[in-house]
Amino acid sequence: MHVPIALRGPLAVPFRLFGIKPSRMNPNICTLCETLFEVVMKRKAIEIEATILFADIRNYTTVAQAVDAAELSRLLNFFYDECATAVWAHDGLLNKAIGDSILAIFNFPLKHASHTQRALAAAQDIRERCNEHCKRELARHGLDAAELGVGVGIDCGTLTFGEFGTTHTELTAIGQVVNRAARLQSVAAPGEILISEAASQALGNAAVPLVRREVLLKGYVGPQIAHVC
């Protein structure tokens, strides 16, 4: 897993012949990282320490009713591209694009002690890249700018990453950390980044102003502590 592999240029040609190429989840790693769980690690899934980021276009359904299919496709393409650029810039893995949301993983397979800080930096980049564009799109259609933006949820801890399924296999992350990040994202307002208590502690003394808030998350009993960036 640590053998250098040329991903670009003439040296990449021999690797391409064997189907080894840049990963679609992060072009700075190769597809071997997606397929060798069973061969190298002798199992299909492993436990890792990581930070999960979910980002979602707020009020997407409302916007979808106001614009035609071509413009909606352009909006989604813009969102996916900007999210990918931000995630990859901070060595994250863009694991999934699900409708109007994305799932990113930090600290696997590229390891960084500051993976939560990297996830937050990526979230801030996504917010900066997307929110102004969303406002311009709304203005073109006479919609309230407050209706559209990006909401983000972040959590960190131990989760399971690997290949799941038999007839249809999928490489993804599962666990409480993934669920909590998704729930935080679901209650984030346009332009908000909601960070779990665990992720807030992992950030430590990072120079990022956070506001403590109690939120109600689906599937959780009672209010949960979140921090707003």
Side-chain angles (χ1 to χ4, degrees):
M1 296 292 281
H2 296 283
V3 175
I5 291 176
L7 296 177
R8 300 169 188 86
L11 292 178
V13 174
F15 294 103
R16 296 291 178 94
L17 294 176
F18 290 94
I20 302 171
K21 56 187 178 181
S23 168
R24 295 178 64 185
M25 297 185 191
N26 186 323
N28 295 317
I29 63 174
C30 74
T31 47
L32 280 178
C33 294
E34 301 176 10
T35 58
L36 287 187
F37 277 86
E38 197 167 8
V39 175
V40 175
M41 300 176 184
K42 306 303 180 185
R43 47 186 167 163
K44 284 199 167 186
I46 59 171
E47 281 196 347
I48 61 172
E49 289 292 321
T51 298
I52 295 292
L53 179 156
F54 272 93
D56 175 86
I57 300 176
R58 304 285 79 183
N59 299 310
Y60 175 80
T61 303
T62 301
V63 177
Q65 297 176 52
V67 304
D68 61 32
E71 290 199 38
L72 200 61
S73 294
R74 282 195 291 271
L75 175 62
L76 278 178
N77 286 335
F78 172 85
F79 174 66
Y80 291 154
D81 289 346
E82 295 303 318
C83 285
T85 300
V87 169
W88 295 340
H90 298 282
D91 278 349
L93 202 68
L94 186 60
N95 182 227
K96 286 180 179 298
I98 315 161
D100 58 334
S101 65
I102 63 100
L103 161 61
I105 302 166
F106 293 81
N107 206 38
F108 186 84
L110 300 173
K111 300 286 187 179
H112 293 286
S114 60
H115 53 91
T116 304
Q117 286 89 340
R118 287 173 175 270
L120 177 56
Q124 291 172 312
D125 283 355
I126 290 170
R127 177 169 62 186
E128 184 176 346
R129 290 168 179 273
C130 294
N131 282 347
E132 286 304 316
H133 178 86
C134 288
K135 289 176 183 178
R136 288 196 300 270
E137 287 298 304
L138 286 172
R140 290 178 56 222
H141 298 282
L143 297 174
D144 183 359
E147 290 185 10
L148 187 62
V150 176
V152 179
I154 294 175
D155 192 20
C156 67
T158 303
L159 55 91
T160 304
F161 186 85
E163 295 178 357
F164 299 94
T166 51
T167 304
H168 171 75
T169 60
E170 192 163 14
L171 186 67
T172 191
I174 62 170
Q176 200 58 238
V177 173
V178 182
N179 295 340
R180 190 158 38 239
R183 297 303 186 212
L184 286 168
Q185 167 260 302
S186 69
V187 298
E192 277 190 345
I193 301 169
L194 288 187
I195 302 167
S196 72
E197 181 72 5
S200 173
Q201 292 176 5
L203 289 172
N205 296 321
V208 179
L210 300 177
V211 178
R212 189 175 184 273
R213 178 191 297 175
E214 289 188 348
V215 294
L216 294 175
L217 303 180
K218 183 179 179 181
Y220 290 80
V221 178
Q224 304 294 308
I225 302 300
H227 298 264
V228 185
C229 176

